[in-house]
Amino acid sequence: MRGVSTISGTLLFILLSLSQESMAQSGWFLQNPLPTGHQLNSVQFISSTVGWAVGDSGTILRTTDGGQYWITQASGTTGWLDGVSFTDSNNGTIVGASSDDALILRTTDGGHNWIYQNVSYIQHLTDVSFTDSNMGIAVGVNHKFNSLLMAIARTTDGGQNWISQLIGADGVLYGVSLTDLNNGTAVGIEYDSGNPIGTILRTTDGGQNWVTQTSGTTKWLSAVSFIDANIGTVVGDSGMILRTTDGGQNWVTQTSGTTKWLSAVSFIDANYGWTVGTEGTILHTTNGGVTGIVDEETNQVPPGSFLSQNYPNPFNPSTTISYQLPTQSHVTLKVFDVLGREVTTLVNGVEESGYKTVSFNAYNLASGVYYYRLQAGSYVEIKKLALLR
């Protein structure tokens, strides 16, 4: 393993006047987005003031005042950083990917220096959670040969050795949260007849075995944070926030006030939490996200809406995507890779009702599995496509 010396960098401002405007019907309020130009993929706080956020291009940010100011920390990599877990102010681990190989960074001095660690048989790690300085679990995906398998790596010695484990399910794990040596929850997507839907997995034996839980939503789930064996929060696509107080037996939808992709969430107790997402979005709650009323998910589909499977599929390099609009709607049609990173926007604007076709040319993309997501008003649907060179 080789060390990476880092130096604290430029102080980044979040427009210091933390607005704390309450978002409509929400227990979450918006903190002004970071002016980094990078996507934030994970956040973790160890107290009400000290926390870290990581993202693309090797981005590592640290705050000591609850997220009003952030300071960059040099990671020594330009890779995609997806997950961060600190057990105290000094010991922390970051995971991600670089050049199609899983990336693990470890610090014992609060992020001033980082050491590379190795894991086998996994191409991308998306999140990590440690219960103490030694015991941790990282999750991600094995995506060689155009197949996707949920992947898990476990360590009991602070990451000096990682044991890889592939779950038989076809899908991707995006988030994981351990509350003790035995209990943990992982979230992501799993395929149902070829279509990706949100999934929640639960372990009670330190990650050796996982059982599926019912979330009550089909939206993609990207991150999870439990403060104990019972109280936890999950975030995901279109501003989705789910909350449980019984270890995941039941989940209640909360109103986030945003439709952005929420990629990470961190709670330090039952009330104080943060979530981050696309375009530098940062949300903060001081009451567990509670509005005072029971939030209910609303995703009523207008009659006649549908998204067709692209044709041809697999394709090289062009394919056609079709969809039906029953009424005039604001439409977005976007393509994502298997890790939820936006590849391109095909449609973004108001369209009249009727049958629509869009051509997608993937001449600049590598072979692999991708997804296209249509949102027209309250209608949202996601389908899978495969590019074969």
Side-chain angles (χ1 to χ4, degrees):
M1 295 185 292
R2 56 193 179 92
V4 181
S5 177
T6 69
I7 302 175
S8 295
T10 307
L11 183 64
L12 296 177
F13 295 93
I14 305 185
L15 301 181
L16 286 193
S17 55
L18 176 61
S19 66
Q20 299 193 7
E21 289 185 8
S22 295
M23 307 186 79
Q25 298 298 314
S26 176
W28 295 83
F29 60 83
L30 182 68
Q31 290 186 316
N32 290 317
L34 291 169
T36 64
H38 296 294
Q39 175 169 318
L40 298 176
N41 299 321
S42 185
V43 62
Q44 194 219 0
F45 277 75
I46 59 171
S47 70
S48 61
T49 57
V50 179
W52 285 262
V54 300
D56 65 354
S57 303
T59 300
I60 302 177
L61 305 173
R62 184 173 185 262
T63 181
T64 57
D65 59 9
Q68 296 188 59
Y69 296 89
W70 294 82
I71 299 173
T72 59
Q73 291 185 323
S75 63
T77 180
T78 57
W80 188 275
L81 303 183
D82 263 321
V84 56
S85 178
F86 274 75
T87 54
D88 54 46
S89 60
N90 292 315
N91 294 283
T93 299
I94 291 174
V95 299
S98 180
S99 301
D100 205 35
D101 286 316
L103 176 68
I104 303 178
L105 300 175
R106 176 77 169 180
T107 184
T108 56
D109 58 10
H112 296 291
N113 297 279
W114 296 91
I115 297 173
Y116 284 97
Q117 295 181 334
N118 298 311
V119 63
S120 302
Y121 309 119
I122 300 177
Q123 280 68 57
H124 198 125
L125 290 172
T126 55
D127 198 17
V128 61
S129 179
F130 274 76
T131 59
D132 55 38
S133 59
N134 291 314
M135 197 279 184
I137 290 180
V139 297
V141 60
N142 179 304
H143 56 76
K144 281 191 174 180
F145 310 115
N146 291 320
S147 65
L148 301 175
L149 290 176
M150 295 179 180
I152 293 174
R154 293 181 292 126
T155 182
T156 57
D157 57 13
Q160 296 183 52
N161 296 280
W162 289 88
I163 300 173
S164 299
Q165 173 186 356
L166 298 180
I167 297 180
D170 184 19
V172 182
L173 292 176
Y174 290 117
V176 62
S177 178
L178 300 179
T179 56
D180 52 51
L181 295 178
N182 295 313
N183 294 287
T185 301
V187 300
I189 60 170
E190 187 172 358
Y191 301 121
D192 181 9
S193 300
N195 295 317
I197 61 173
T199 187
I200 300 178
L201 304 178
R202 179 80 167 179
T203 183
T204 56
D205 58 9
Q208 298 183 58
N209 296 282
W210 298 83
V211 177
T212 302
Q213 293 184 327
T214 301
S215 67
T217 180
T218 60
K219 293 182 179 180
W220 289 25
L221 303 178
S222 56
V224 56
S225 177
F226 272 76
I227 62 157
D228 56 34
N230 293 313
I231 300 175
T233 300
V234 170
V235 300
D237 186 28
S238 303
M240 167 64 67
I241 299 181
L242 303 175
R243 178 83 161 180
T244 183
T245 56
D246 57 12
Q249 297 182 54
N250 297 280
W251 295 90
V252 175
T253 302
Q254 294 184 337
T255 301
S256 67
T258 181
T259 58
K260 302 294 186 184
W261 175 284
L262 298 180
S263 54
V265 61
S266 177
F267 274 80
I268 59 171
D269 57 30
N271 295 315
Y272 277 80
W274 292 259
T275 180
V276 301
T278 55
E279 299 179 13
T281 300
I282 301 178
L283 301 178
H284 179 41
T285 184
T286 57
N287 67 350
V290 176
T291 64
I293 59 174
V294 176
D295 295 319
E296 296 181 355
E297 181 178 3
T298 58
N299 189 25
Q300 297 181 0
V301 179
S305 297
F306 69 82
L307 175 65
S308 298
Q309 185 64 52
N310 65 298
Y311 182 83
N313 189 43
F315 68 99
N316 178 28
S318 296
T319 188
T320 298
I321 299 172
S322 302
Y323 54 94
Q324 174 79 30
L325 301 178
T327 60
Q328 184 189 69
S329 304
H330 185 277
V331 176
T332 58
L333 179 60
K334 298 184 177 183
V335 179
F336 299 86
D337 66 12
V338 295
L339 297 171
R341 297 174 294 194
E342 183 177 330
V343 172
T344 187
T345 297
L346 300 176
V347 178
N348 184 12
V350 176
E351 292 191 333
E352 298 297 327
S353 61
Y355 186 77
K356 314 291 181 179
T357 61
V358 177
S359 178
F360 172 44
N361 191 318
Y363 70 93
N364 61 337
L365 297 179
S367 295
V369 175
Y370 295 87
Y371 301 93
Y372 56 104
R373 176 184 183 275
L374 176 71
Q375 180 167 1
S378 60
Y379 172 73
V380 178
E381 189 166 355
I382 300 170
K383 289 186 179 294
K384 179 170 64 173
L385 48 77
L387 172 61
L388 296 181
R389 296 294 190 184

